[in-house]
Amino acid sequence: MKEKYSIGQYEFDTYEEYLDGLDDVKKIKSIIHEVDIYDADASLRLYKLLRQNKITFKGKVGNGFFCYVSDIVADNSRKLTIKEYENSLGEPQNSKARTFIGYALIAAAIVCAIIFTVQQIRSSGNAKELEELQSMRQEAQQEYASDYSSPIEDDITSEEQDANAQGDSQEIASSQEVLPQTTSLSILPEFEELYDQNNDLVGWLEIEGTQINYPVMQIEDDNTYYLKHNFNKKRDNNGSLFLDGRNSFATNRDDNLIIYGHNMRSGKMFGTLKQYLEEDYYNEHQTITFDTIYEKATYTVVGAGLSQVSYQDEDTFRYYDFLDAENEEEFNKIISKLNKLIVCGDMDVSYGDELLTLSTCNSYVEDGRMFVIAKKG
């Protein structure tokens, strides 16, 4: 029989979760020692810090404490509301006053219920729209599967044909000025319909065996819009996966493309990405497919790591600022710094490899971040 670990009313399946629970208990004791959580102002300040993830916990014990603080704040708010009604009426014992207060509280409860219902309906609608997008994507993939050829292969074929056709006039060509060539890319047929719906679309990310199967968006120099909007540009707490607004992914591709997504508790977006910190999961999900609207590509995972957002005036390495390296020396220095953040993997990469980084939040520390790096091919 599998051993169970417990702390009070909480049970844990693994020893690691149990240790996280002990850490949460230690932090909770420290908070209670410093803060009177039953004081209205103090509990509200604490609640805001917890909501803003400025105080974080590791597991269910901490989540339970957060719920407890939320209940205290709600109870204090309710008592304050009743007191304000009574004071404004001047006769707190008056039955009419109590009746009025009762009706007011019932009305408030109805409003809250309506808001909750609207949110549920909106969430359900957004989920249905996403399923339709995924279905469109799958059907388009199947329809155009046999029509795809790599733009790189096309370029090579074209160059070879030109070389054969001009073989007799090389001396003349070499004596003339060589003008730079421009490459014109065409949107893959399988993305045309989706792109017509929203031209912020830059591709599609999928990891087989996971929930990750989403369109990827990008607005140049804007990494905020798709935090709270879906593919159809509707407000959505899940947001969307989006490519860093600084990234170039087409003709002059950056060394490293960075895709961001929310770490949702439901598992949506990048909610399951943290599982890459577990060795078995890491080894079983090595292949990532990221097809841009111009080119299909697969990537092999080479590392999963943890980091933290730092302030602009701090002299620290920020993995999320690595887009392009000027030369091999700089590339190797960056990889060396990334290696220090890696929890799983060996970062088996070389200068010239095209990299893909998936980035999301992680509450192991305040402003924590978790990332997965993969190389093309």
Side-chain angles (χ1 to χ4, degrees):
M1 183 176 179
K2 189 175 180 180
E3 186 175 0
K4 288 279 188 179
Y5 305 91
S6 63
I7 300 174
Q9 62 181 347
Y10 299 100
E11 288 191 348
F12 307 91
D13 294 327
T14 67
Y15 185 63
E16 288 73 18
E17 291 176 348
Y18 171 70
L19 292 178
D20 287 344
L22 291 179
D23 286 343
D24 284 350
V25 170
K26 185 177 179 181
K27 182 177 284 191
I28 291 168
K29 286 182 178 179
S30 176
I31 292 171
I32 293 174
H33 179 72
E34 297 292 334
V35 179
D36 180 5
I37 64 173
Y38 298 103
D39 177 78
D41 292 335
S43 63
L44 182 59
R45 286 195 299 270
L46 176 59
Y47 173 76
K48 288 179 178 179
L49 291 172
L50 291 167
R51 283 285 296 175
Q52 296 167 0
N53 286 328
K54 292 183 177 179
I55 296 177
T56 60
F57 294 100
K58 294 183 176 180
K60 60 179 71 175
V61 176
N63 291 336
F65 178 70
F66 172 66
C67 292
Y68 184 63
V69 173
S70 302
D71 289 342
I72 292 173
V73 171
D75 189 52
N76 287 336
S77 177
R78 181 183 63 80
K79 290 176 180 177
L80 180 62
T81 303
I82 292 175
K83 186 175 181 180
E84 287 175 346
Y85 274 122
E86 289 177 341
N87 288 340
S88 66
L89 293 167
E91 297 181 8
Q93 301 303 318
N94 186 287
S95 60
K96 290 183 178 180
R98 288 198 299 271
T99 301
F100 181 79
I101 292 169
Y103 285 139
L105 292 175
I106 291 171
I110 292 172
V111 170
C112 290
I114 292 172
I115 292 173
F116 177 76
T117 302
V118 169
Q119 289 177 336
Q120 290 295 100
I121 293 172
R122 179 185 297 170
S123 177
S124 177
N126 291 338
K128 186 176 181 180
E129 289 177 355
L130 176 59
E131 289 175 2
E132 291 173 355
L133 286 175
Q134 291 170 335
S135 178
M136 285 177 59
R137 162 67 173 160
Q138 185 177 18
E139 290 173 2
Q141 275 184 300
Q142 294 171 350
E143 181 178 356
Y144 297 103
S146 60
D147 297 341
Y148 176 74
S149 61
S150 169
I152 296 176
E153 292 175 357
D154 289 345
D155 289 343
I156 292 173
T157 302
S158 176
E159 289 172 5
E160 289 175 348
Q161 291 173 346
D162 290 343
N164 292 333
Q166 299 175 9
D168 295 333
S169 58
Q170 278 186 332
E171 288 187 16
I172 297 173
S174 63
S175 65
Q176 297 174 342
E177 180 183 5
V178 179
L179 298 176
Q181 293 183 343
T182 57
T183 303
S184 177
L185 294 176
S186 299
I187 294 175
L188 299 177
E190 65 188 64
F191 283 115
E192 287 178 351
E193 186 175 354
L194 288 171
Y195 187 80
D196 286 342
Q197 292 185 27
N198 186 343
N199 58 17
D200 289 337
L201 177 74
V202 295
W204 196 284
L205 184 76
E206 183 174 2
I207 305 178
E208 189 175 353
T210 76
Q211 292 189 48
I212 298 174
N213 181 24
Y214 302 110
V216 179
M217 320 304 291
Q218 185 191 47
I219 299 178
E220 187 175 350
D221 296 324
D222 183 354
N223 284 346
T224 60
Y225 181 81
Y226 282 106
L227 286 171
K228 291 294 182 183
H229 292 83
N230 60 24
F231 176 87
N232 294 313
K233 297 188 176 183
K234 295 180 180 179
R235 289 284 297 182
D236 189 339
N237 288 334
N238 292 310
S240 301
L241 300 189
F242 60 93
L243 184 67
D244 194 301
R246 301 166 295 174
N247 260 143
S248 174
F249 70 96
T251 53
N252 296 309
R253 184 198 189 280
D254 288 330
D255 292 332
N256 183 35
L257 303 181
I258 306 177
I259 297 176
Y260 302 99
H262 283 309
N263 178 14
M264 302 302 294
R265 290 185 179 181
S266 64
K268 293 179 180 178
M269 299 302 127
F270 280 164
T272 59
L273 202 65
K274 55 183 173 288
Q275 291 177 275
Y276 271 98
L277 298 174
E278 301 171 9
E279 190 172 353
D280 288 344
Y281 187 93
Y282 178 93
N283 292 328
E284 292 167 4
H285 299 84
Q286 282 284 290
T287 302
I288 296 175
T289 300
F290 176 46
D291 296 339
T292 72
I293 56 175
Y294 304 119
E295 182 182 12
K296 301 167 78 67
T298 58
Y299 294 77
T300 301
V301 177
V302 295
L306 294 169
S307 185
Q308 187 175 13
V309 173
S310 54
Y311 296 104
Q312 289 299 321
D313 58 354
E314 290 183 278
D315 185 21
T316 57
F317 172 68
R318 303 174 180 88
Y319 75 89
Y320 47 84
D321 278 342
F322 168 41
L323 305 176
D324 219 18
E326 292 184 1
N327 50 51
E328 185 172 359
E329 181 182 2
E330 182 184 6
F331 180 87
N332 290 335
K333 285 181 179 179
I334 291 171
I335 297 304
S336 177
K337 291 176 180 178
L338 281 170
N339 255 318
K340 296 177 181 178
L341 303 175
I342 293 300
V343 176
C344 285
D346 55 10
M347 286 298 292
D348 179 21
V349 297
S350 304
Y351 183 60
D353 285 337
E354 296 181 357
L355 305 181
L356 175 69
T357 298
L358 313 182
S359 177
T360 190
C361 296
N362 190 284
S363 59
Y364 82 106
V365 293
E366 183 178 339
D367 290 330
R369 294 293 184 272
M370 183 262 165
F371 61 92
V372 170
I373 297 182
K375 68 177 179 181
K376 191 175 179 181

